[in-house]
Amino acid sequence: MYYIGLDVHKKTISYCVKDASGQVHQEGKVGATRRELDSWIKTLPQPRTMAMEATIFTGWIYDHLLPHAQQVKVAHPLMLRAIAAAKKKNDRIDAGKIADCLRCDFLPECHMASTQIRDRRRTLRYRHLLVRQMVQMKNRISGLLMETGVSYNKQRLHKVGYFRELLSTNEDVHESIRPLLKLSRDTVVRLQKTEYALVSSLQRDPLLADRVQRLRTVPGVGPITALAWALEIGDVARFRSIRQAISYCGLCGEEKSSADKVMRTPLSKQRNKHIQRVLVEAAKLAPRQDHDLALVYETAKQKGNANRATLAVARKMVAYLLAVDREERDFVPAENYQRAAA
């Protein structure tokens, strides 16, 4: 078996080919294009296993190399940095160390979702970009009105009828800002339509439709939360416990222990920030819709504050979502389950 380490960059890929004894057979650089990779693959010995660090470029390279190797593995960047830290660092050395980690089975492998999931995940994350831009434009409209001293109804400002009425009847709206207000409003409308189209296409997708419908039976889970869970979590079988899922979602702190001292830190930065954001937002509304989650919130709030209570609700929702996804059936409230068992 030949072990190939790849140090991936935007324009070039440094590689190192080693055998089981650690002897270097090939090393060098290849252009980061599909055509150059195809030519390079023909020069490699067989059988081979490849590994690379997770970067923004990893996805398409992984998909392109997968048919040409027995295995293609992706390493966790933070853990790999801790294992392969050295005084001297360059692309050639990095590729060699990745090959050594792969050869010695020390590679801190991370999960690589399927191409279908990654393609749809990209669409959902793009939707978040649209929402952020929409909020920025709405804030810009408010800012323009405040800068020029125009009084307005904050709750109704972004309603179509009220905005049109404001421009046509309010004499305080200066002529200099009217074109900017109209342009901002048109941008908001266009972004809203695009965002709705993206979400609708994902909900109708045959790969996701049934799964999303089941997840939405969980209290407090709407279409965005269900889509985020399905696409960011991917295969739920990779989580052996609820604690692992909670850690991946970034809903717990780090633990630093030494001797008899144990210190818990705030929320860990090693998490999937996309699913974390969605779950926290959902947990703020969920207690209003479900008695059990409201009880979780109140119990946690008595011990700490509102933020800690929201995290407790989010962790409970992770347990619900994981159970529904594993068992592939709709959510059943506790009282209904107990009544059915009796």
Side-chain angles (χ1 to χ4, degrees), residues 36-194:
E36 291 184 74
L37 283 177
D38 288 336
S39 301
W40 169 70
I41 288 170
K42 295 175 183 177
T43 67
L44 298 177
Q46 290 271 24
R48 52 185 173 242
T49 300
M50 299 182 179
M52 69 190 84
E53 187 178 1
T55 68
I56 190 175
F57 317 108
T58 298
W60 75 266
I61 297 173
Y62 175 88
D63 293 336
H64 193 74
L65 295 178
L66 194 58
H68 303 286
Q70 290 193 354
Q71 276 187 309
V72 178
K73 297 184 178 183
V74 179
H76 192 293
L78 189 62
M79 296 182 182
L80 184 65
R81 195 175 302 125
I83 293 173
K87 188 174 183 180
K88 186 177 180 181
K89 183 182 184 302
N90 57 47
D91 295 346
R92 181 181 61 82
I93 292 174
D94 288 348
K97 289 190 174 182
I98 293 173
D100 283 332
C101 289
L102 180 64
R103 179 175 61 87
C104 301
D105 200 21
F106 286 158
L107 191 79
E109 189 175 358
C110 64
H111 175 71
M112 196 67 180
S114 66
T115 307
Q116 294 84 358
I117 290 293
R118 281 187 279 122
D119 289 344
R120 289 157 177 80
R121 180 191 294 169
R122 190 179 301 114
T123 301
L124 186 64
R125 291 181 181 179
Y126 189 82
R127 176 256 170 199
H128 176 61
L129 172 64
L130 297 180
V131 172
R132 287 173 55 192
Q133 292 178 340
M134 197 187 312
V135 172
Q136 288 176 352
M137 295 309 298
K138 288 182 177 181
N139 291 340
R140 185 67 268 178
I141 291 173
S142 302
L144 288 170
L145 294 174
M146 287 188 288
E147 285 176 16
T148 53
V150 179
S151 300
Y152 61 92
N153 187 321
K154 182 179 178 180
Q155 283 71 33
R156 299 179 58 198
L157 177 59
H158 303 296
K159 302 293 183 182
V160 178
Y162 178 79
F163 186 82
R164 190 181 296 119
E165 179 185 348
L166 182 70
L167 292 186
S168 60
T169 61
N170 195 319
E171 298 178 355
D172 294 335
V173 180
H174 197 271
E175 289 297 328
S176 64
I177 66 169
R178 285 180 181 273
L180 299 178
L181 290 172
K182 290 179 181 178
L183 178 62
S184 299
R185 179 61 198 175
D186 291 342
T187 304
V188 169
V189 172
R190 185 169 63 252
L191 290 171
Q192 284 176 336
K193 291 180 179 179
T194 308

